[in-house]
Amino acid sequence: MDVILKGKYIIKCKIKAVTGLHIGEGNNSIEIGGIDNSVVKDAEGKPYIPGSSLKGKMRALMEFAEGKVKDNLLIVSVKRSGKPEICIHMCEDIDCPVCGLFGRNHGKHVTKEEFIRNPNAEGKDFSDAVIPTRLIVRDAKLIESSITDEMKENLDLEWTEVKFENNIDRITSKANPRQSERVPAGAQFLAEFVVNRYEVDGSDDGQRYLSKFIKAMKLLEDDYLGGQGSRGNGKVKFVDIEIVYKDSSDYEKDSSDLKPIAKADSLDQLKLSTN
C-alpha cells in the first residue's frame, strides 16, 4: 500500500461545559473525608479533558451513526470467563469511515459473531488495511478564567463542585447517599484536533475525513461526555472554532501567513470551503 501525507487539518476550539462534567479518574481508593468519585486532574490539580475520553466517545457515537454496531462488524476487545465482555467496531474495509478516521490495530481479531459460535476462533488479520490513524486528539486544558470568582464562591472545591445523589430502596426507603465531583457548568477547555489528509494508492482523502470528524463533533454535542450523562451530566458545546489547513509543502516555508479555511462561533455556523 502506498501512503503519502498530503497535509493536516488543524481544528482549534473551546469546549464549553453546558452542564456539570464528570470524567472520573478511575481511582477506587477513598480517603477519610474525601470525595468517593473524583474527576481526573492534571499535575497542577486542575481538571482537564483527556484526549482519550474525547476520541473514545466520538468513535463510539460514529460506530452507531455509521451502522457499524452489528455482531459481524464488532471485534472482541476484552473477553472474560469465556464471554465477549467488551466489543468495538474494527474491520478490514479500507474505505470504512470509522476505522479510517479513528484507526485500527495490527494483529488478528475475532468478531463477536465468530466468538459466539466458537470461543477459540483464530480470527482474521486486518494488517493489510492498516494505515496511520488520521485523527489526533490533544488533551483539553482548563481555561482558568472561565471559572469566575463569582462561580468559585459557590464551589465546594477550588475548581469543582460536589454533587450529592441518593439511591433509595423502593420498599424500605433506605437511602444510599453518594457524592460525585463535577466541573461546573460554564467551564471551558482549550481543545485541538488534527485530521491527517492522505493519498492512499493514488486516491486523495480531500476533505472526506474532516467532514466525518465534524459529524462526530455534532453527535457529541447532542449526547454527553464523561459519566452519569443520562442523569444530567456531560452536555458540552464546541465554540470559537477555527480550522487551518497545512499542506505538506507548507512545512518547508514560513507558515505564519496561513489563513483559516473555516471559522465560526459554533458548529451550526461552520461551513467548509472546498479546495
Side-chain angles (χ1 to χ4, degrees):
M1 184 185 300
D2 296 329
V3 181
I4 301 172
L5 176 65
K6 300 292 288 183
K8 290 174 178 282
Y9 295 100
I10 300 170
I11 303 102
K12 294 184 178 180
C13 63
K14 295 173 184 171
I15 300 175
K16 181 178 180 180
V18 179
T19 65
L21 179 64
H22 175 85
I23 299 177
E25 65 176 1
N27 184 359
N28 293 323
S29 65
I30 303 175
E31 298 176 3
I32 295 174
I35 297 170
D36 55 9
N37 201 6
S38 302
V39 300
V40 64
K41 299 184 182 73
D42 62 17
E44 296 177 327
K46 298 166 190 161
Y48 73 104
I49 302 177
S52 57
S53 298
L54 283 164
K55 189 177 179 185
K57 183 68 183 192
M58 286 194 277
R59 179 176 188 136
L61 292 169
M62 283 290 283
E63 290 176 6
F64 281 101
E66 297 287 340
K68 304 295 184 183
V69 185
K70 301 174 182 175
D71 283 357
N72 64 330
L73 296 177
L74 296 173
I75 61 107
V76 179
S77 176
V78 177
K79 56 186 175 184
R80 202 159 288 161
S81 302
K83 295 180 180 178
E85 186 167 273
I86 297 175
C87 298
I88 65 170
H89 168 72
M90 201 181 299
C91 68
E92 58 184 339
D93 178 6
I94 197 71
D95 291 323
C96 173
V98 175
C99 296
L101 182 61
F102 295 94
R104 52 171 73 82
N105 296 332
H106 292 269
K108 291 184 176 180
H109 304 281
V110 180
T111 67
K112 184 178 180 183
E113 186 178 66
E114 291 170 332
F115 188 88
I116 290 171
R117 280 203 307 265
N118 175 17
N120 297 315
E122 188 176 353
K124 189 181 293 184
D125 192 340
F126 297 162
S127 295
D128 288 344
V130 171
I131 61 174
T133 300
R134 288 181 173 84
L135 177 63
I136 299 166
V137 184
R138 315 283 190 207
D139 289 346
K141 192 171 182 179
L142 176 70
I143 301 172
E144 295 180 28
S145 59
S146 67
I147 299 181
T148 64
D149 290 341
E150 184 180 4
M151 290 166 68
K152 284 184 177 179
E153 289 179 4
N154 298 302
L155 296 181
D156 305 274
L157 302 169
E158 184 175 6
W159 302 103
T160 56
E161 62 186 4
V162 177
K163 181 172 182 283
F164 287 85
E165 294 181 343
N166 253 327
N167 184 12
I168 299 175
D169 186 282
R170 300 300 187 266
I171 305 299
T172 64
S173 295
K174 182 179 180 181
N176 177 30
R178 58 188 179 221
Q179 51 185 349
S180 287
E181 186 180 18
R182 303 197 309 179
V183 177
Q188 295 187 16
F189 299 82
L190 273 179
E192 182 179 296
F193 308 91
V194 178
V195 177
N196 287 323
R197 174 181 173 180
Y198 292 127
E199 181 182 296
V200 181
D201 290 340
S203 177
D204 190 334
D205 289 348
Q207 291 187 345
R208 181 187 184 214
Y209 289 98
L210 175 62
S211 298
K212 290 294 182 184
F213 175 67
I214 292 171
K215 177 181 178 179
M217 294 171 80
K218 290 178 177 176
L219 286 167
L220 179 56
E221 279 195 348
D222 286 337
D223 208 274
Y224 64 88
L225 183 63
Q228 301 153 15
S230 66
R231 301 200 300 273
N233 288 355
K235 180 174 175 56
V236 296
K237 188 172 179 61
F238 295 96
V239 298
D240 298 341
I241 305 157
E242 181 179 288
I243 303 176
V244 172
Y245 177 68
K246 287 186 179 180
D247 190 82
S248 61
S249 62
D250 289 328
Y251 288 90
E252 299 174 8
K253 309 172 189 170
D254 179 358
S255 58
S256 59
D257 293 333
L258 286 175
K259 302 284 188 258
I261 62 168
K263 204 169 182 179
D265 292 336
S266 67
L267 287 175
D268 295 335
Q269 300 171 10
L270 185 65
K271 296 191 185 306
L272 293 178
S273 59
T274 56
N275 61 359

